[in-house]
Every structure is written in C-alpha cells, then in structure tokens.
Amino acid sequence: MARRLFDTNAILADCTDISNVLISSKTLDELENIKSSSHKDNDIKYKARVAVRAIREQKPEIVIVQKSDYDKIEELGLEITNDNLIIASAWRYSQENSIVFVTQDVLCSLIAKTYFGLDVEELKLKNDDVYKGYRVVQPTDEELSQVYSKDNCENIFGCLVNEYVIINDSDGNFCDVVKWTGEKYATLNTKPFKSRAFSNVKPLDEIQRCAFDSIVTNDITVLYGRSGSGKTTIPLSYIMSNVESQKYKKCVIIYDFETLKGAKTLGFTPGTLNEKIITQGAIGNILSSKFGDMSEVERLMASGMIEIIPTANIRGYEISSDEICFVTEGQNLDTYTLKTIIQRCKAGAKIIIEGDIIEQHDNNREVGLLKMIDIFKGYKSFGCVKLKNNYRSEIGELADML
C-alpha cells in the first residue's frame, strides 16, 4: 500500500492524523520559520504551532533532504526552492517505496506530476468551508497563561473579531470558552434566558454557550445547524425574555412563504391575514411546537408581542430600533431577500437568523445566508455559531445519518 507524503500546506491544513504519513525535513524548517515570522498572520502562525505539536506527538517519518535532491532539481532545470526540495525528496524516496504526494498547491501538484512523475493526491478537507464562528484548540501552558493574563491583547489563535475559542485540555476534554473581541480574549455572557413562555433556558453545551453570548452581545447573529440543535429554541427563549421584560417592544418573525422576486400573495382563502399566516406554510407548526399550542401563538400575536411577516410582504415594512427581527428557515432566502430584510431594520434593532444551510436548503435556490456569513464574518457587531448536537431524540440522531 502506498505511503502518503504531505507537503507543508497539506500539514497546515490537516494534521489531525499524521502518524503514518511521511514529511520532508524541509517542511519542518518551513513550519519553524512560519512560527517565528513577523510577516505571517496570526492564523497561519497558530496553524504552524499546532502542526509542530502534532508532529512532535504523532512522530511521522521524516524524509531528510539530501544533496542528491538539489542535483535532481538542477538536472531538471528547476529553481532551488523549498517546494521543489520537498518534491525532490519525495521522488527520491519513491525510487524504492510506493508513495503518493499530497498537496493543496496547484503548482506543486503540476511539478510533481510533470517533472517527477509522482502520483499526486489533492488534499480534501474533512470539514466544510463555511465559517463556524468558533475554533477548538488544545493550547500549551504558555498559550493558556497568555489567554488569562491581564494583558492578553495578542491574538495568539488567529481569530476573527467575535470568533469563539473552545479550549480543551490535552485529552480533548472541555475546559473553557472565550471570545476574541479584537482587543482581548473575553469571557462570555451565558446567563439563562428566563421567560413565562420558556421558563429557564440554559446552554446545554459549550457551543450553545457561544450562541447565547452572540445573541446577547451582537446586533446580528446567525445560528445554523441540524434539526434539534437549538437554533430556533435559543432565539425564541431570548426573544420572549426580552419582550416580556419590555426591553424590546415586540418581535417581528420573518419566514419564507415565497421569495421576494416573483413573489406571490397568500391567496384568497377564507380568514384574516394572521389566520392564513399561521395555518399556511410551516411557520404555524414551528411556533406552536415551541410555544406549546397554536392558541398561545395566537395570544402572542393578538397582544402584539410577536408579529409574523412573510418575505413576500417585507418590502416597505420597517423594523424599529426597539424591536427584534427573527428570521426563520434562513437557508431558503436568496441574497436579494436577505439584503432587503436587513435594510428594513433600523439601527438598534436586534437581528437573529436561523437555518440549516448545510442539509436543508433548497438546492434550486441561491443560499444568501452563505454569502452573508462570508461577508459579515469578522465585523464587530456580527456573530455566527454553527450548532452541533441534536438534543431532540435518538431517532433524530438516526435521521441525521440518512
């Protein structure tokens, strides 16, 4: 079976399981240089520290660069560069062993194939590329002391503003979670949300703690995740806590009845607008399942504590500075509709958007939420959290496997 030799960018991208891979000695030099470079950003420097630690702990086999590797590069008329030395050492090793060269670099892939005749694998990462809003780290004692020092102003984990850091110990057990504010690593606001409607709602895991903090401290929060992860219950419990206490006048719930462009009306079926809103489409079922029954939803609407608006009617509507805007099923909104909703909110309004952008979006539609997350991440008033665990039922867990 062929061994895999990782180049430097592949190691930086994924060093979770490298005990059986090969690494060129030139990669070790590059990692050390990245760690101490004043020209590299904090994110890549942190990845280099993680990679060095993984190499030290997992002990992959090191292929030492030799003089013959330099000679081979000159023979082929190529420049003496670190990338070419890594490829040349891989080629030399391949003369007596079956290997595959693993890289994320297009040029390295081309040189390895064309000049050296190596089998090449382009590394495919296990996780999707959508911003999660947090990263999980296993810091050294030195890094941990920096996080909790009074002058913890160095962004040692390379975080974006409002990105959370879940701190695990060396055995992978959860220790703490903090947030990079742009100036320091701060503790979180994770007090329970108390309301008549939901009683006392507390975060059930470290990722939900991030969600609680983001909703409280940011003007705009996106929560996405699979069914049963709390992406609807957490916002609604916060909303009812603040509407009941009159911190906010009411909550405007926006749901996707039709997309904004080419939108249709709700039709001419009998009943008032509110009756049609809660009996047609999914929003009535969603809210009644959270509040206990449909009569409670109707009471909240009649009292003016919540107002439900389909996306078809959002143009021309205005959400004031003392209101909360809650957008459900956000995975089905295109960029134009999402942009319109945000533009209808005055400064001071709280915006919370939930959805399942990984599993449940309509594949025939543009997913505006993906673009929004990519553009808004790192903005001082924006938070995003990918919720993970399913707290609904074991059957729900099985359904996630389908």
Side-chain angles (χ1 to χ4, degrees), residues 269-312:
T269 54
T272 65
L273 178 61
N274 281 346
E275 288 171 344
K276 287 193 283 186
I277 283 173
I278 62 176
T279 57
Q280 297 182 36
I283 188 64
N285 291 333
I286 291 171
L287 293 178
S288 63
S289 69
K290 301 302 178 184
F291 286 103
D293 56 48
M294 191 66 75
S295 62
E296 178 63 10
V297 178
E298 292 170 345
R299 186 191 71 80
L300 292 170
M301 294 176 70
S303 67
M305 298 177 77
I306 66 172
E307 182 175 359
I308 304 174
I309 305 291
T311 53

Side-chain angles (χ1 to χ4, degrees), residues 219-266:
D219 293 338
I220 306 176
T221 292
V222 172
L223 301 181
Y224 73 94
R226 56 185 178 168
S227 176
S229 60
K231 63 184 184 294
T232 307
T233 300
I234 292 171
L236 285 175
S237 62
Y238 169 83
I239 288 164
M240 294 313 300
S241 174
N242 284 272
V243 171
E244 288 178 7
S245 65
Q246 298 186 330
K247 181 178 179 181
Y248 288 94
K249 184 173 68 175
K250 69 175 179 180
C251 174
V252 178
I253 300 176
I254 299 175
Y255 75 104
D256 178 50
F257 184 83
E258 291 283 350
T259 53
L260 195 60
K261 287 184 177 179
K264 299 177 181 179
T265 66
L266 287 175

